[in-house]
Amino acid sequence: PGARPQRSYTWRPHVLLFNAPNEDEELVYYPNTKQTREAYGKGTFGPDVDMEVTKQFMETCAEDDRPFFLYATSRIGHKAYDFINQEIDTWPPTPKLSWNAARQRYRKQEPVIAGRAGNYKTKGINDGGIRRHVEYLDYTIWQLVEKCKELGVLDNTVIIFSTDNGTKGWGKDSRNKQRGPHVPMFIYAPGLKMTKQGRSNEFVSFVDIVPTVADLMGVSDLLDGYELHGQSLYPYLFEEAEKHTREYNFSYQTRSDGHKQLVRGSYVMKDGGERWFDVSGEKRDLDSYPEIVNWNKVPQEFRDERDKLLEVLDEFDVYETEHDYEPKTNNRRRK
């Protein structure tokens, strides 16, 4: 089907299904069956639709005794239009949740939305905000874990949770320090005897995921012949390596007013504003690092690492020379 304006990806959402079961076309919009059309309405919550489709995929794979790779992106954690409260660019409400600590289970209230624009009556819906979005993210991860238990595959499953950038208003599109690229990552594999547990401050990049997954699947030879910048986490997470092999994290930001490189090592970091910071001591807020204004007043190892990171920046300053680059007038590569 042709594209159409997206009304919402939270309440009463547009959901585009790819290779949906029993569909002749590759792409179809949800609701796409008599049952889903009858249930669809103002109280339909996009992340719940996503989760139901996700669990159906997992069930189909289990029924066919097939291993599966699931890449699930969440609509939670994004600002959007809140049609219930008629607010633009905000954190829309989510269905109300409660946690039963004794049973280790979530309970979700069924949301009800009635009335018309400007005068909606709701039930089972909270007041929104990023705190509620984080809570609902936890609920969706809990559902995935419970489904793995139900299907009997949890002990042979690796769950990786992360995000693409810092949230809007803080890190998204920000060149300030590491607010954009520095994000959490959780790796959970209860049946695979991970050798590392708890919090770690090792450098990890998303490019490390491909060789890591290849090692987990025993197919790393399939990567032979490809240029890879990723470094497998497998020796660190599942074997006896004391540290991950990555020595820096690199990020590239493209915007209409110019392209910026960001890089961080163990001692120093350069942000998109061309400022350098002392990151030798981790900060609780992961942000309040002292700026380096006089390189003569920092230890020699700081200057040595800076010089190595500058070589990294030069090596990866290829935005305007890669195969997918489309040159524009007055857009020249800067050294």
Side-chain angles (χ1 to χ4, degrees):
R4 64 188 184 190
Q6 180 163 304
R7 174 175 54 247
S8 170
Y9 51 76
T10 53
W11 297 101
R12 201 179 182 188
H14 281 160
V15 180
L16 189 59
L17 304 177
F18 180 70
N19 285 336
N22 304 315
E23 292 288 350
D24 295 330
E25 296 185 76
E26 185 177 68
L27 298 174
V28 297
Y29 277 99
Y30 178 99
N32 61 313
T33 65
K34 182 177 183 295
Q35 181 181 6
T36 55
R37 281 191 289 269
E38 289 176 349
Y40 184 86
K42 296 188 185 76
T44 302
F45 192 53
D48 290 342
V49 174
D50 292 339
M51 186 52 55
E52 287 306 310
V53 173
T54 296
K55 289 189 285 190
Q56 288 171 13
F57 167 76
M58 296 169 68
E59 290 169 358
T60 299
C61 291
E63 290 169 0
D64 295 342
D65 196 25
R66 290 187 291 123
F68 59 84
F69 175 84
L70 171 64
Y71 175 69
T73 57
S74 177
R75 299 160 192 270
I76 289 293
H78 293 89
K79 284 189 172 182
Y81 174 67
D82 174 9
F83 87 91
I84 299 172
N85 299 305
Q86 304 288 291
E87 294 179 358
I88 299 174
D89 198 31
T90 187
W91 306 98
T94 60
K96 285 185 177 180
L97 300 172
S98 59
W99 174 251
N100 186 317
R103 299 182 61 195
Q104 292 290 289
R105 296 190 63 82
Y106 268 110
R107 178 180 177 274
K108 186 194 83 171
Q109 294 188 33
E110 287 304 316
V112 177
I113 302 174
R116 297 183 178 181
N119 191 30
Y120 285 115
K121 304 296 182 183
T122 66
K123 181 180 179 182
I125 296 174
N126 59 45
D127 55 358
I130 190 171
R131 177 172 63 93
R132 294 301 186 186
H133 280 234
V134 173
E135 177 188 53
Y136 217 82
L137 271 174
D138 191 66
Y139 170 59
T140 59
I141 295 298
W142 173 81
Q143 289 183 83
L144 287 175
V145 172
E146 290 300 301
K147 177 55 69 171
C148 285
K149 291 179 181 177
E150 176 189 321
L151 298 176
V153 299
L154 183 60
D155 285 346
N156 194 33
T157 297
V158 179
I159 298 174
I160 302 174
F161 173 86
S162 191
T163 184
D164 51 354
N165 50 251
T167 193
K168 191 173 183 179
W170 172 258
K172 188 176 178 66
D173 295 328
S174 173
R175 292 176 174 176
N176 189 3
K177 303 176 188 175
Q178 59 182 8
R179 294 181 182 182
H182 191 187
V183 296
M185 174 178 286
F186 302 90
I187 300 179
Y188 180 59
L192 299 188
K193 299 180 180 178
M194 295 178 69
T195 57
K196 308 300 185 298
Q197 301 288 333
R199 182 169 179 167
S200 171
N201 288 321
E202 295 295 307
F203 287 125
V204 178
S205 172
F206 276 122
V207 297
D208 297 338
I209 298 301
V210 168
T212 301
V213 171
D215 277 348
L216 283 165
M217 296 170 62
V219 294
S220 57
D221 59 303
L222 296 180
L223 302 179
D224 292 346
Y226 290 92
E227 181 180 1
L228 296 176
H229 296 125
Q231 300 169 26
S232 176
L233 284 156
Y234 189 88
Y236 173 68
L237 293 177
F238 297 94
E239 295 180 341
E240 301 305 319
E242 294 184 2
K243 292 183 65 62
H244 182 36
T245 54
R246 178 163 296 284
E247 296 180 348
Y248 63 85
N249 264 351
F250 170 85
S251 180
Y252 205 99
Q253 189 180 76
T254 63
R255 284 171 53 178
S256 59
D257 60 343
H259 316 304
K260 297 294 182 179
Q261 293 175 302
L262 299 82
V263 68
R264 174 178 173 165
S266 298
Y267 301 118
V268 297
M269 170 179 68
K270 187 192 84 69
D271 74 357
E274 305 301 324
R275 300 176 299 170
W276 288 86
F277 295 89
D278 173 359
V279 293
S280 58
E282 194 56 89
K283 303 298 181 182
R284 181 175 176 82
D285 64 1
L286 306 175
D287 187 68
S288 56
Y289 307 103
E291 184 176 358
I292 299 174
V293 294
N294 187 341
W295 285 100
N296 293 321
K297 294 185 177 181
V298 299
Q300 182 63 44
E301 56 262 34
F302 284 39
R303 296 192 290 272
D304 291 343
E305 184 176 73
R306 174 203 59 186
D307 294 342
K308 290 181 179 178
L309 294 179
L310 286 172
E311 293 177 3
V312 171
L313 296 181
D314 185 64
E315 177 185 357
F316 290 115
D317 187 15
V318 293
Y319 179 80
E320 297 183 3
T321 59
E322 289 298 295
H323 69 279
D324 58 351
Y325 171 67
E326 296 182 4
K328 298 179 180 179
T329 304
N330 297 326
N331 190 1
R332 297 180 180 273
R333 180 177 180 182
R334 290 175 289 178
K335 289 290 187 180

